[in-house]
């Protein structure tokens, strides 16, 4: 089959890897002018790690990733108020690391070895599915015919809008925004420690990276429209965070100088069906669990593998689409439901929620408590399909 994948983040290149393994011709189109950089550090574990092992990319991920030794909550003066060691959770799991989302994406794309055609600086403008093919019109003016089109273009998917309707029918905004950026030469460094400062309405995180770089991450309560341009996004953050304690003033000063600046709403995508005709969605485009879930990238890889394996099994694409959704929908819905209540950990609404957050952090420093609270989330209850052995190797 001739398959168009829209989006070169996590899900898109992962799906391309498996479709190419099955002998299909794959084209990836990405709206950005280059493969994306920046973003935030993700915790990578569970079934996503299983996917990485199947793809043979774990050694490269470990080279780029980090194994954090401590998560530390501080007060406005920087004093420690709570901490726990991730190893308290990792006693029950061997496959865990933290790495930049852009690094995960780059390693997955490298694993393709050039097997998929990549078009940068373009995206879909229109889809016409006649039942036998999908005629695609691109924003650049080019056109093409494809057997299948897969939207792997994230929370604000253009494919979803064209094939399923406006975002308003599927997006569930959770009342927060998230921002991330890096700086070089920041004087405060705590190697392999996630430094966290929260107060009512926000959380600020600092992570020391290699090459004298530091990653800053804000999660902020915000009701109302979410701005689309960077100047307005920075203005929103300053309005919410000016005058706060700890190192927040220094972070805000560095924000405007950052080359790569990530900002987005904290939202979920909830749909009855991820497919229609010859068009399918995968990753955040289909069932974004939100930033709060902490597993979006891993779940995107799981979804891409499952869709690829079902399509590789042969038969009508409609049957493969149905098996893909039936297998994954319960898992993804459970992740979404669990994430809804986690806002208090990332941006407490009031003093009571702040007290609850800090109390949980203190308790997680006690032996076995962290594993009891979070250990279950490291094991994804999903039975993944076997990939057909008769497919063509990369």
């Amino acid at each position: 089959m001739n398959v168009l994948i829209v989006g070169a983040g996590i899900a898109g290149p992962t799906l391309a890897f498996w479709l190419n393994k099955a002998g299909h011709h794959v084209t990836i189109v990405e709206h950005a002018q280059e493969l994306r950089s920046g973003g935030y550090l993700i915790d990578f574990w569970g079934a996503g790690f299983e996917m990485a092992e199947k793809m043979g990319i774990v050694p490269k991920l470990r080279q780029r990733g980090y194994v954090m030794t401590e998560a530390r909550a501080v007060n406005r003066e920087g004093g420690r108020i709570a901490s726990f060691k991730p190893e308290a959770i990792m006693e029950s799991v061997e496959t865990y690391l933290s790495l930049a989302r852009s690094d995960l994406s780059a390693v997955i794309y490298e694993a393709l070895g050039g097997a998929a055609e990549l078009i940068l600086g373009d995206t879909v403008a229109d889809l016409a599915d006649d039942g036998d093919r999908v005629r695609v019109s691109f924003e650049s003016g080019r056109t093409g015919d494809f057997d299948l089109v897969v939207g792997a273009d994230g929370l604000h998917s253009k494919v979803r809008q064209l094939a399923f309707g406006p975002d308003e029918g599927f997006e569930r905004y959770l009342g927060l925004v998230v921002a991330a950026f890096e700086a070089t030469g920041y004087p405060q460094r705590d190697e392999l420690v996630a430094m966290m400062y929260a107060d009512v309405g926000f959380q600020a995180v600092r992570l020391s990276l290699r090459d004298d770089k530091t990653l800053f991450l804000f999660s902020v309560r915000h009701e109302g429209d979410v701005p689309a341009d960077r100047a307005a996004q920075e203005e929103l953050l300053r309005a919410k965070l000016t005058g706060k304690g700890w190192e927040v003033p220094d972070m805000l000063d560095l924000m405007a100088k950052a080359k790569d600046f990530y900002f987005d709403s904290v939202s979920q995508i909830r749909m009855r069906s991820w497919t229609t005709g010859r068009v399918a969605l995968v990753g955040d485009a289909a069932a974004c669990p939100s930033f709060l879930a902490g597993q979006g990238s891993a779940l995107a890889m799981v979804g891409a593998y499952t869709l690829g394996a079902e399509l590789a099994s042969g038969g009508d694409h409609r049957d493969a689409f149905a098996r893909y959704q039936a297998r994954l929908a319960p898992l993804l819905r459970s992740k979404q439901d669990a994430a809804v209540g986690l806002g208090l950990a990332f941006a407490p609404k009031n003093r009571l929620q702040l007290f609850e957050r800090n109390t949980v952090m203190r308790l997680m420093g006690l032996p076995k408590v962290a594993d009891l609270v979070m250990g279950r989330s490291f094991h994804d209850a999903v039975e993944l399909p076997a990939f057909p052995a008769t497919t063509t190797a990369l």
Side-chain angles (χ1 to χ4, degrees):
M1 288 191 299
N2 186 21
V3 183
L4 174 68
I5 298 173
V6 182
I10 305 296
T14 302
L15 178 60
F17 178 96
W18 294 107
L19 289 179
N20 182 71
K21 186 176 178 66
H24 300 300
H25 180 269
V26 180
T27 301
I28 303 174
V29 62
E30 167 58 48
H31 187 260
Q33 296 293 332
E34 58 186 15
L35 293 178
R36 297 182 186 276
S37 60
Y40 50 84
L41 216 63
I42 61 170
D43 290 325
F44 191 64
W45 70 79
F49 214 104
E50 180 182 341
M51 294 301 99
E53 290 176 329
K54 286 179 179 290
M55 297 172 71
I57 61 175
V58 169
K60 287 190 175 181
L61 294 182
R62 290 200 181 280
Q63 288 175 5
R64 300 196 185 203
Y66 303 82
V67 178
M68 293 293 167
T69 60
E70 182 186 356
R72 185 186 307 168
V74 299
N75 58 26
R76 62 180 298 112
E77 288 79 29
R80 184 196 310 252
I81 60 175
S83 70
F84 71 93
K85 297 184 181 301
E87 66 185 26
I89 305 169
M90 290 187 287
E91 287 176 351
S92 60
V93 62
E94 297 178 356
T95 52
Y96 169 89
L97 56 86
S98 298
L99 76 162
R101 189 179 186 279
S102 56
D103 282 344
L104 174 59
S105 176
V107 169
I108 295 171
Y109 182 77
E110 290 168 7
L112 276 168
E117 179 185 359
L118 176 64
I119 301 171
L120 293 170
D122 203 0
T123 192
V124 294
D126 192 36
L127 303 173
D129 184 348
D130 66 9
D132 295 319
R133 64 179 183 176
V134 184
R135 168 61 61 90
V136 179
S137 299
F138 295 88
E139 289 186 351
S140 63
R142 76 176 80 191
T143 61
D145 293 335
F146 299 89
D147 296 302
L148 300 176
V149 173
V150 181
D153 45 344
L155 173 64
H156 308 291
S157 169
K158 185 67 175 290
V159 174
R160 189 182 64 241
Q161 294 167 11
L162 291 170
F164 295 86
D167 288 348
E168 291 76 12
F170 311 109
E171 182 176 354
R172 181 179 180 182
Y173 177 54
L174 300 183
L176 296 90
V177 295
V178 60
F181 55 95
E182 292 182 3
T184 301
Y186 189 72
Q188 307 300 325
R189 293 187 65 85
D190 294 89
E191 304 296 340
L192 300 179
V193 177
M195 300 290 293
M196 300 175 289
Y197 166 56
D199 206 334
V200 174
F202 78 95
Q203 177 176 257
V205 177
R206 168 168 57 80
L207 295 160
S208 300
L209 307 180
R210 299 184 185 94
D211 302 320
D212 199 26
K213 292 182 179 180
T214 301
L215 172 68
F216 304 104
L217 177 68
F218 293 131
S219 47
V220 179
R221 292 269 171 195
H222 173 66
E223 299 298 334
D225 295 336
V226 177
D229 68 281
R230 176 167 174 173
Q233 292 164 355
E234 291 188 19
E235 183 180 351
L236 184 156
L237 293 174
R238 289 192 182 91
K240 298 281 187 177
L241 299 175
T242 294
K244 304 301 181 182
W246 191 46
E247 300 167 14
V248 173
D250 295 331
M251 296 179 184
L252 292 175
D253 287 343
L254 292 168
M255 179 173 61
K257 306 172 187 176
K259 177 183 176 182
D260 295 313
F261 178 75
Y262 171 87
F263 183 100
D264 208 346
S265 61
V266 176
S267 298
Q268 295 182 339
I269 296 298
R270 296 192 178 229
M271 307 181 68
R272 290 180 180 272
S273 176
W274 308 330
T275 64
T276 179
R278 291 182 169 271
V279 178
L281 302 173
V282 69
D284 283 353
C288 177
S290 85
F291 165 79
L292 304 181
Q295 287 183 280
S297 296
L299 293 173
M301 293 179 69
V302 170
Y305 168 82
T306 302
L307 178 57
E310 297 295 2
L311 288 169
S313 297
D316 191 279
H317 72 277
R318 290 170 294 188
D319 295 332
F321 284 176
R323 293 193 301 270
Y324 155 63
Q325 174 141 353
R327 191 181 294 273
L328 287 183
L331 171 67
L332 293 176
R333 179 54 61 87
S334 71
K335 297 293 184 182
Q336 290 180 322
D337 291 345
V340 171
L342 293 176
L344 69 88
F346 292 87
K349 286 184 177 180
N350 49 50
R351 289 292 167 190
L352 177 59
Q353 285 196 354
L354 179 64
F355 174 77
E356 292 173 351
R357 170 197 178 273
N358 292 340
T359 299
V360 170
M361 285 284 294
R362 292 186 182 98
L363 290 173
M364 289 179 66
L366 300 176
K368 302 297 182 182
V369 173
D371 187 61
L372 180 65
V373 172
M374 296 184 62
R376 184 180 299 179
S377 68
F378 281 77
H379 304 280
D380 296 322
V382 59
E383 183 178 350
L384 299 175
F387 204 86
T390 56
T391 53
T392 304
L394 279 173

